[in-house]
Amino acid sequence: MSLLQVKQLVVEFPGRRGTLRALDRVSFEIAPGEILGMVGESGAGKSLTGAAVIGLLEPPGRVAGGEIVLEGQRIDQLGFEQMRSIRGRRIGAVFQDPLTSLNPLYTVGRQLIETIQTHLPVSASEARQRAIALLRDTGIPAPEQRIDHYPHQFSGGMRQRVVIALALAAEPQLIVADEPTTALDVSIQAQIISLLKNICHQRGAAVLLITHDMGVIAETCDRVAVMYAGRIVEMGPVHQVINHPMHPYTAGLMASIPDMDADRDRLNQIDGAMPRLHAIPPGCAFHPRCPQAIARCRSERPELSPVGVTQTACWLHTTEGAAA
Ligand code: SF4
């Protein structure tokens, strides 16, 4: 059984000039222990998807359709308190900036111990021992001393390790990690990604990893969902999608990964920009930027459909589109 099922999720932002649809029937599943990457340019809807899953959509954003189901329990309609308890206990979160998850006024130990004791039936001394073990497991040197330090006494990379420890403190089944390394030095990024991957694997926690970086996806994930203009346009096993991208947008993202071996002067970028929510083109939303667009792409929107082991939303991969 899937750990998480997101079915036909619609997120809307009501505004003075009408309602904008930011996520349009997004569906995916995550199995226990699986790492699903969600990739796309800024504005594609990947962070909104993560925010909807953890119940932290910023108003006036709202779930306007579909379902989010965690282990058979629908969680998209829960009240704030119920969702807060699920967020600590069953879903952990790691954000881009570690300081959004840590309270600067409390030691990291206090924050870890409080989280552990809120969600697990353990004594204060047991919680402290668990907190020290978590800091050790996330690679914090001298955790017996560091537990009594404040967030500002840690470097950016060490702070993100503390946030990962905090996200795992109540032994959740799912971690939602939204651009967990974007704010860090390039030299630290690979260490944090490998920590996240290994520690979640050891604990059997599944991960929804949101990133704009296809290189991170390639190194970390089991499967990947590629988002464009509020929709998933391709989804499948990571090696298949990377080596044989079906959707022209995925192919463009792949070409933008820097290749140290290749003799290229500049990154191969996709021309144009992601459309804004109020100006999503008719037909396939990618058609103004697509080098392979056909007439039908301008008027009819392709649905995500199976093609071998992946799914893609592109007329080139339907019998009728290919014929045209
Ligand atoms: Fe390009 Fe058409 Fe496929 Fe969209 S449906 S990605 S415009 S070929």
Side-chain angles (χ1 to χ4, degrees), residues 94-292:
V94 179
F95 298 111
Q96 177 173 335
D97 179 0
L99 293 178
T100 55
S101 308
L102 296 170
N103 186 330
L105 302 178
Y106 297 145
T107 64
V108 301
R110 175 166 172 184
Q111 297 178 60
L112 281 164
I113 290 165
E114 269 183 16
T115 304
I116 293 168
Q117 284 204 290
T118 303
H119 298 291
L120 303 175
V122 294
S123 68
S125 71
E126 268 179 279
R128 186 175 170 89
Q129 287 315 310
R130 276 177 178 254
I132 291 172
L134 272 166
L135 291 175
R136 185 178 298 115
D137 292 350
T138 48
I140 304 284
E144 293 83 356
Q145 285 85 53
R146 295 295 260 160
I147 190 170
D148 296 317
H149 289 183
Y150 289 85
H152 74 267
Q153 294 174 286
F154 292 79
S155 67
M158 285 294 158
R159 238 181 255 145
Q160 198 60 307
R161 289 174 188 267
V162 172
V163 171
I164 293 172
L166 197 59
L168 290 164
E171 300 173 356
Q173 300 127 311
L174 175 67
I175 297 283
V176 175
D178 188 355
E179 302 279 7
T181 62
T182 306
L184 303 177
D185 284 354
V186 175
S187 57
I188 311 284
Q189 291 182 357
Q191 293 172 17
I192 297 294
I193 284 296
S194 114
L195 167 68
L196 189 66
K197 179 177 177 172
N198 293 336
I199 199 165
C200 290
H201 184 67
Q202 284 159 14
R203 284 155 197 263
V207 183
L208 173 59
L209 176 62
I210 295 161
T211 175
H212 65 281
D213 187 336
M214 203 60 165
V216 167
I217 296 279
E219 281 169 34
T220 318
C221 299
D222 302 306
R223 282 189 309 127
V224 58
V226 180
M227 288 201 76
Y228 190 83
R231 292 183 147 212
I232 293 177
V233 296
E234 181 158 7
M235 180 160 58
V238 78
H239 292 296
Q240 181 70 22
V241 172
I242 282 175
N243 294 322
H244 306 286
M246 295 278 176
H247 197 282
Y249 179 62
T250 316
L253 283 182
M254 291 310 306
S256 69
I257 299 178
D259 183 347
M260 305 306 273
D261 301 327
D263 182 20
R264 273 191 287 185
D265 293 339
R266 58 183 281 278
L267 296 185
N268 201 347
Q269 302 287 357
I270 307 167
D271 286 339
M274 173 87 60
R276 291 186 179 273
L277 283 186
H278 63 270
I280 293 183
C284 170
F286 187 57
H287 85 253
R289 303 173 75 188
C290 181
Q292 291 168 265

